[in-house]
Amino acid sequence: MSGPLRYPRWVSVLLSGLNPPQRDAVLHDDGPLLVLAGAGSGKTRVLTHRIARLIDERDVAPGSILAITFTNKAAAEMRQRLEGLVGPRVRAIWAATFHSACVRILRRDAPHVGYERNFAIFDASDQLRLIRRCLEDEDIDPKRVDPRSVLGWISDAKNRLLGPSEMDIDSFRDEQVVRIYNRYQNRLLANQAMDFDDLLRLTVQLLEGDAEVREHYQERFRHILVDEYQDTNHAQYRLVRVLGEPQRNVMVVGDDDQGIYSWRGADVANILDFERDYPDATVIALEQNYRSTGTILKAANAVVAHNPNRHPKALWTDRGDGGPIEIIECRDEREEARVVVGEVQRAVDDGDSLSDIAVFYRTNAQSRAVEDMLVRAAVPYQVIGGPKYYERAEVKDLLAYLRVAVNPNDEVSFGRMITSPKRGVGPGAVTRLSAYAVEMGLPLTDALADADRVEGLNPSQRRGFSALASVVAEIRSHARADVPVDRLVELAFEESGMRAMFEADGSAEAEGRIENLEELVRTGAEYMNRAEEPSLSGFLEEIALYADADAVDTGGGQVTLMTIHNAKGLEFDRVVIIGMEQNLFPHSRSETPEQLEEERRLCYVGITRARRRLILTHARTRSFFGGGRDYRMPSQFLAEIPEESVGGMGPAATSRHRPLPSDAADVVPGLATGDEVVHATFGEGVVTGVEQGGTLVLVRFIRDGRERRLIAGAAPMRKAASS
DNA sequence: CATAGCGGGTTTTTT
DNA sequence: ACCCGCTATG
């Protein structure tokens, strides 16, 4: 029977098609809410529908909603979905990543924490340049102290909201690091620059330290929703906590099985501690999966169930089992790539789009072999991540002109600009200019115009500086006059002499660089079309906060290649995960049990991206950096997948016992291709052998990537058995 | 001051 | 295999 409508009309729209826990989450009123959302359980739907409901039913002003997503792309998608539900009111909603939300706050209130509003954002390469200078100041040899590790320590400290003066000092090393940290921070400030961690840290400092500002934002944000909460770090946690007061309308959505960023300071404990901070929190679990086949889901569950430290839960689906998972042993990475091409062929035969196919791997370097094969097979593809477009030297060099025009204190960009192209000014001249700038209390860039007054410069150096001064001045005045950004990029390209430099070079490489920079001009034009209030600094900011995952093109009819980290939050009909091998996945650098668990969660994330078909490959040999071939063992995660879920090469491939490779049969007398082979670690090496009556007959013994023995003797199985 | 050539490190994942 | 920084040389 159909009784009278119990809800107003919008309810049928917002609640139709939702399962009971999803409805509960959407209908939740005020107060803290924790949604434990398994993979593919429709959390984005819950988030968007809940926001729509807050606006429509609870009369919450769109401008008082802050929705935090993991990537800019996810934010854009959320906006798009919300637009369908609440129309143009979506414009007032803050949907952003933690970092971009912080920038937005800081662009307004940075003066409260000692920064100007036009501060620069330093990416990894800018940081590296700056930290090198700090090491230089401290007279520390960068070969003895790795600048990257120092940055790692500093980053860890910042994520825990610890300043240089709050660090524990237990050793000379600690003291050294703290001194560097101090210098680094001072230099950042002098540059009017923040690194990624500062964006979070200073925002927390701002909000916790300044009552007026704090109340302003607390007043403003009445509802806070955070996605991917399992991957928040301490600074982000504190940010949510302070913004959530006093209303405490905080909704967090996450899955402790999908925490894969602990190396970046993320703490899965945040999700578990939510109930401690908000004892009155409502907790809702979403366990029905709408994405994958039963077989894929079962495999994912089985793998992650091997993690001892987790909230037990089991995703389920009513979609039916679907086809088996395929585990394919390959001879090497080229054959792995052929498996990918084979799957592409199969998709084409089935009339499916190439956009439905994704290839995942543990490390970016693995994309190469697949790319080579796809090129040969004329298969269109996109690679997400890897060598970054915006971090290419020529792009950064050109951007340096624009950055310096916005922020004259940016010495890192100044240093780039000075040497590209070469104009006869080197370190010596810069030191003199810098001394003058300090003396006059001028930003380095502004001192350029006074080149005539700087002591000890030769005429060509003066000319070089003056030329630079006028380029920067021109960019700056055009920017003030709101000349379109693409015109500014073009201006910098021409007037800096970079185009002339590359044209004079004439090499194919220089041609490529010119194309890259022309692409940057087009990016500027595209930004002008899209941005609501375009500005040069807005453009630079977007670039700084741009993430690889933002570039994923889901409709372009091409195969998508990316690391599993980048695949978070995405889904594809067909997924191939390559390199399912010990020491690669799980990665060899994952040594502790905790790290192994994180690798396993990563595996879980990868598997659960697949809707319909999942192929896992591993290679017997693989070459790493052009060097010799390494013999490989299949990933332990493969053995954690239930045998009945696996088709293709069959269960043999799921254990450490697999058919003898045919190339081994050739060299081992008395062995047949059907014999079972065992891969095992033995001492520091990797053994490939054949089991015969409890004894391992050695076929190969590899150590340090080199083959030490080919066929020889035997060893008791017990000694060899380990992985 | 700029360049070419060499040696060393690099590959885990990234907002 | 490649990228990067350092050094010797012009």
Side-chain angles (χ1 to χ4, degrees), chain A residues 40 119 175 312 350 438 497 636:
Chain A
F119 61 86
E175 199 191 312
D350 291 352
V438 170
Q636 59 185 272

Side-chain angles (χ1 to χ4, degrees), chain A residues 397-406 417 467-485 487-496 536 540:
Chain A
D397 286 346
L398 185 53
L399 288 173
Y401 284 87
L402 302 168
R403 287 172 61 160
V404 152
V406 170
M417 171 179 84
L468 270 178
S470 54
V471 177
V472 175
E474 198 177 347
I475 295 171
R476 197 177 287 166
S477 69
H478 281 67
R480 294 234 168 91
D482 283 329
V483 168
V485 167
R487 280 289 310 138
L488 298 175
V489 180
E490 219 171 356
L491 186 76
F493 191 21
E494 307 296 337
E495 298 301 312
S496 65
L536 177 56
L540 294 175

Side-chain angles (χ1 to χ4, degrees), chain A residues 69 71-83 90 95-97 530 550:
Chain A
T69 56
T71 62
N72 294 305
K73 175 133 193 285
E77 275 169 9
M78 181 177 280
R79 293 176 158 282
Q80 205 173 359
R81 287 203 186 184
L82 280 168
E83 191 171 10
V90 70
T97 63
R530 175 167 43 81
D550 298 338

Side-chain angles (χ1 to χ4, degrees), chain A residues 333-612:
Chain A
E333 65 271 21
R334 288 167 49 88
E335 197 179 302
E336 254 186 331
R338 276 187 214 106
V339 170
V340 172
V341 173
E343 182 62 12
V344 171
Q345 189 58 55
R346 186 168 169 155
V348 170
D349 291 345
D350 291 352
D352 293 339
S353 160
L354 298 189
S355 317
D356 294 334
I357 309 173
V359 181
F360 300 154
Y361 33 79
R362 180 65 179 80
T363 67
N364 282 303
Q366 289 168 256
S367 73
R368 175 153 243 167
V370 178
E371 288 187 66
D372 287 347
M373 205 60 76
L374 290 175
V375 168
R376 285 174 47 170
V379 176
Y381 67 91
Q382 60 175 337
V383 185
I384 308 303
K388 298 186 198 348
Y389 173 74
Y390 290 118
E391 288 185 18
R392 287 168 202 257
E394 69 273 17
V395 174
K396 291 222 65 162
D397 286 346
L398 185 53
L399 288 173
Y401 284 87
L402 302 168
R403 287 172 61 160
V404 152
V406 170
N407 174 10
N409 294 295
D410 183 340
E411 61 176 329
V412 172
S413 295
F414 183 90
R416 282 191 166 275
M417 171 179 84
I418 273 291
T419 53
S420 179
K422 311 271 190 263
R423 25 170 87 73
V425 266
V430 172
T431 305
R432 294 200 176 87
L433 183 75
S434 172
Y436 171 85
V438 170
E439 193 189 325
M440 304 301 286
L442 281 174
L444 200 50
T445 307
D446 293 345
L448 281 174
D450 296 351
D452 287 345
R453 267 167 274 164
V454 177
E455 309 268 323
L457 297 182
N458 65 38
S460 79
Q461 290 170 329
R462 286 184 209 283
R463 270 198 305 279
F465 281 151
S466 302
L468 270 178
S470 54
V471 177
V472 175
E474 198 177 347
I475 295 171
R476 197 177 287 166
S477 69
H478 281 67
R480 294 234 168 91
D482 283 329
V483 168
V485 167
D486 51 318
R487 280 289 310 138
L488 298 175
V489 180
E490 219 171 356
L491 186 76
F493 191 21
E494 307 296 337
E495 298 301 312
S496 65
M498 284 187 71
R499 182 193 280 280
M501 170 180 69
F502 290 131
E503 277 173 353
D505 181 316
S507 67
E509 207 177 68
E511 288 289 316
R513 294 184 198 280
I514 290 174
E515 271 173 39
N516 281 334
L517 295 178
E518 284 172 345
E519 174 67 28
L520 189 63
V521 175
R522 281 192 290 277
T523 308
E526 186 263 330
Y527 165 81
M528 291 304 297
N529 283 331
R530 175 167 43 81
E532 285 185 20
E533 285 176 50
S535 68
L536 177 56
S537 54
F539 177 61
L540 294 175
E541 181 177 305
E542 211 170 87
I543 286 174
L545 296 180
Y546 169 87
D548 293 317
D550 298 338
V552 180
D553 168 12
T554 45
Q558 37 184 353
V559 178
T560 304
L561 278 55
M562 67 182 111
T563 62
I564 305 175
H565 282 89
N566 267 319
K568 186 166 95 152
L570 303 178
E571 57 180 79
F572 296 87
D573 246 29
R574 301 161 186 261
V575 167
V576 184
I577 307 181
I578 61 172
M580 295 294 301
E581 292 149 33
Q582 283 301 97
N583 296 326
L584 183 56
F585 193 21
H587 197 270
S588 55
R589 298 273 268 263
S590 300
E591 285 154 346
T592 67
E594 291 75 28
Q595 287 171 324
L596 179 64
E597 286 193 45
E598 178 145 319
E599 294 287 307
R600 195 177 274 112
R601 289 193 294 270
L602 191 58
C603 185
Y604 175 77
V605 168
I607 293 174
T608 52
R609 300 307 97 195
R611 290 194 201 105
R612 202 153 59 75

Side-chain angles (χ1 to χ4, degrees), chain A residues 138-394:
Chain A
E138 290 282 335
D139 246 338
I140 297 170
D141 180 0
K143 278 179 200 126
R144 286 196 50 235
V145 179
D146 175 20
R148 286 164 194 279
S149 345
V150 177
L151 281 174
W153 288 320
I154 294 176
S155 177
D156 283 347
K158 288 185 176 182
N159 288 153
R160 285 180 290 143
L161 298 175
L162 297 176
S165 57
E166 295 155 306
M167 300 289 287
D168 284 338
I169 297 179
D170 291 330
S171 63
F172 172 74
R173 186 64 158 219
D174 291 348
E175 199 191 312
Q176 196 178 39
V177 172
V178 168
R179 273 206 313 273
I180 301 169
Y181 183 5
N182 225 330
R183 270 190 194 277
Y184 172 72
Q185 215 47 45
N186 290 336
R187 274 202 108 119
L188 275 177
L189 185 60
N191 277 262
Q192 283 295 315
M194 299 184 195
D195 62 21
F196 286 123
D197 302 317
D198 279 342
L199 297 177
L200 303 172
R201 188 178 128 267
L202 292 172
T203 306
V204 173
Q205 197 175 308
L206 171 75
L207 294 172
E208 291 186 351
D210 189 305
E212 205 175 308
V213 175
R214 178 171 62 243
E215 281 157 21
H216 172 266
Y217 288 102
Q218 287 178 338
E219 186 95 348
R220 157 147 210 169
F221 298 124
R222 298 310 183 90
H223 284 270
I224 300 170
L225 304 93
V226 186
D227 196 5
E228 308 283 9
Y229 192 67
Q230 75 282 353
D231 281 319
T232 52
N233 60 35
H234 182 70
Q236 292 165 332
Y237 156 83
R238 286 270 283 270
L239 194 63
V240 171
R241 205 178 62 177
V242 65
L243 283 176
E245 295 299 323
Q247 286 94 353
R248 304 177 3 121
N249 291 326
V250 177
M251 172 193 191
V252 301
V253 183
D255 178 1
D256 56 315
D257 284 331
Q258 292 189 67
I260 54 175
Y261 282 99
S262 73
W263 50 272
R264 200 170 87 185
D267 191 352
V268 180
N270 285 343
I271 202 168
L272 309 174
D273 288 348
F274 190 80
E275 295 178 75
R276 186 203 61 200
D277 290 337
Y278 301 99
D280 54 330
T282 303
V283 181
I284 295 174
L286 305 179
E287 295 190 326
Q288 183 175 1
N289 173 293
Y290 296 97
R291 178 186 297 156
S292 307
T293 65
T295 301
I296 290 170
L297 212 49
K298 205 181 299 167
N301 281 336
V303 169
V304 81
H306 281 78
N307 274 352
N309 298 306
R310 64 184 283 263
H311 269 342
K313 70 163 170 299
L315 289 183
W316 59 278
T317 181
D318 56 14
R319 276 194 55 186
D321 284 349
I325 293 168
E326 288 184 42
I327 295 179
I328 301 177
E329 178 183 286
C330 301
R331 181 188 151 79
D332 54 24
E333 65 271 21
R334 288 167 49 88
E335 197 179 302
E336 254 186 331
R338 276 187 214 106
V339 170
V340 172
V341 173
E343 182 62 12
V344 171
Q345 189 58 55
R346 186 168 169 155
V348 170
D349 291 345
D350 291 352
D352 293 339
S353 160
L354 298 189
S355 317
D356 294 334
I357 309 173
V359 181
F360 300 154
Y361 33 79
R362 180 65 179 80
T363 67
N364 282 303
Q366 289 168 256
S367 73
R368 175 153 243 167
V370 178
E371 288 187 66
D372 287 347
M373 205 60 76
L374 290 175
V375 168
R376 285 174 47 170
V379 176
Y381 67 91
Q382 60 175 337
V383 185
I384 308 303
K388 298 186 198 348
Y389 173 74
Y390 290 118
E391 288 185 18
R392 287 168 202 257
E394 69 273 17

